[in-house]
Amino acid sequence: MTHIRHFADPAESKTAARARRARRWTWVAGVSLWVCGLLAIWQERALAPGVHDGMQRLVAQAQGVMDGNEAVRALLAGVDGGVDVAKDAGLAPLTALLLRATE
């Protein structure tokens, strides 16, 4: 149930609007911080060995699911055209995809 408050004072409504914006940005900043933390753990196992190992298992399981699904393989084959070029150039596959996307 949503409660809509009507403010008699314009300053009070401005303060409420500022509080809504602050809550929205807090959520965005929290999610961004969470993602940055996971990326740091992915790159450096010593930060959280248990989480890193869990992420590795999750990636292996996702690769197994993708390998067994023809629709996903066809989709990735269409998107993943730059991987062979990346291997020849000595680049990471993700780098090749990003370079291909910016062309």
Side-chain angles (χ1 to χ4, degrees), residues 6 15 42 56 66 69 91 103:
H6 298 283
T15 302
W42 175 261
Q56 293 288 335
M66 286 189 290
N69 190 334
L91 298 172
E103 290 177 349

Side-chain angles (χ1 to χ4, degrees), residues 13-101:
S13 65
K14 287 180 182 179
T15 302
R18 189 171 49 237
R20 280 193 303 276
R21 282 193 307 274
R23 281 191 297 273
R24 195 174 324 134
W25 279 109
T26 300
W27 184 84
V28 170
V31 169
S32 299
L33 186 61
W34 183 75
V35 168
C36 287
L38 287 177
L39 288 172
I41 291 169
W42 175 261
Q43 292 186 1
E44 185 61 48
R45 183 179 188 273
L47 293 174
V51 175
H52 181 82
D53 294 341
M55 292 168 74
Q56 293 288 335
R57 284 191 302 271
L58 182 65
V59 167
Q61 186 178 11
Q63 285 176 341
V65 169
M66 286 189 290
D67 288 342
N69 190 334
E70 291 298 322
V72 173
R73 291 179 71 187
L75 177 69
L76 290 177
V79 172
D80 205 20
V83 173
D84 294 330
V85 175
K87 289 179 182 175
D88 294 340
L91 298 172
L94 180 59
T95 304
L97 289 175
L98 290 173
L99 289 173
R100 184 174 173 219

